[in-house]
């Protein structure tokens, strides 16, 4: 009988991990290095002030404050995604410990679904499927595996 392996779980987990890593890298690079350029761009700032003046809707913040809060929010979201990537890699590498890894993948699926407001559907669906497969598929002990004799 073939030895038991978790190839399907590993493939699904790595597909979701790669998508999450790429998104995290792009968002982190943009929020820490590129978005602050918008704050220094006077043309963008003037256009943003004009748009706020057209439609105030009770906003008591200046354009600079809104941009600062947006930049800080994106940085915090980037840090959250970095933590999720670390936990995802930890869960993937700990797949030998089936229950611990399944719990981590289930928590990842919930946190990714809530924090991305459903935008990363493939990532949290794959994490959820991997968690369910880790809970359900059990390795049978050697004494219960049947042997086939053709003699």
């Amino acid at each position: 009988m073939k030895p038991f392996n978790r190839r399907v779980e590993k493939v699904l987990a790595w597909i979701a991990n790669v998508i999450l890593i790429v998104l995290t890298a792009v968002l982190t690079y943009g929020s820490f290095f590129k978005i602050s350029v918008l704050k220094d761009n006077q043309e963008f700032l003037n256009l943003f002030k004009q748009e706020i003046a057209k439609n105030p809707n009770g906003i008591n913040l200046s354009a600079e404050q809104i941009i600062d809060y947006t930049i800080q929010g994106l940085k915090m979201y980037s840090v959250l995604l970095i933590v999720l990537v670390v936990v995802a890699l930890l869960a993937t590498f700990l797949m030998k410990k089936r229950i611990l890894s399944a719990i981590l993948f289930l928590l990842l699926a919930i946190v990714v679904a809530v924090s991305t407001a459903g935008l990363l559907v493939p990532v949290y669906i794959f994490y959820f499927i991997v968690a369910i497969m880790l809970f359900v598929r059990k390795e049978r002990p050697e004494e219960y595996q049947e042997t086939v004799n053709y003699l």
Side-chain angles (χ1 to χ4, degrees), residues 2 5 23 26 31 40 42 45 52 73 84 105 109 115 122 136 139 144-146:
K2 292 182 181 179
N5 62 15
L23 174 80
V26 168
S31 66
D40 300 332
Q42 197 60 35
L45 201 56
I52 290 176
L84 289 178
F105 276 121
S115 67
V136 172
E139 210 172 321
Y144 294 115
Q145 291 181 354
E146 65 180 57

Side-chain angles (χ1 to χ4, degrees), residues 14 26 38 55 104 133:
W14 277 110
V26 168
L38 288 179
N55 193 8
L104 287 175
M133 288 177 78

Side-chain angles (χ1 to χ4, degrees), residues 4 12 15 47 61 68 98 108 129 131 138:
F4 190 81
L12 289 175
I15 290 171
L47 285 173
L61 300 172
D68 285 339
R98 186 175 62 86
L108 276 168
I129 291 170
K138 297 178 184 169

Side-chain angles (χ1 to χ4, degrees), residues 22 26 28 65 76 80 87 91 93 96-97 100 119 123 139:
V22 167
V26 168
T28 302
Q65 288 175 325
M76 287 190 301
L80 171 71
V87 173
F93 290 132
K96 294 273 186 194
K97 300 184 186 318
L100 175 64
L119 293 177
V123 174
E139 210 172 321

Side-chain angles (χ1 to χ4, degrees), residues 23 31 40 42 49 51 54 73 95 114 122 124 142 149:
L23 174 80
S31 66
D40 300 332
Q42 197 60 35
K49 285 179 183 179
E51 287 298 319
K54 285 181 189 176
M95 216 173 270
V114 170
Y124 67 82
E142 285 295 322
N149 259 336

Side-chain angles (χ1 to χ4, degrees), residues 104-145:
L104 287 175
F105 276 121
L106 190 60
L107 290 174
L108 276 168
I110 293 168
V111 172
V112 169
V114 170
S115 67
T116 62
L119 293 177
L120 289 178
V121 174
V123 174
Y124 67 82
I125 292 294
F126 285 162
Y127 284 154
F128 186 71
I129 291 170
V130 170
I132 296 300
M133 288 177 78
L134 285 170
F135 278 128
V136 172
R137 289 183 63 206
K138 297 178 184 169
E139 210 172 321
R140 291 195 298 180
E142 285 295 322
E143 65 234 20
Y144 294 115
Q145 291 181 354

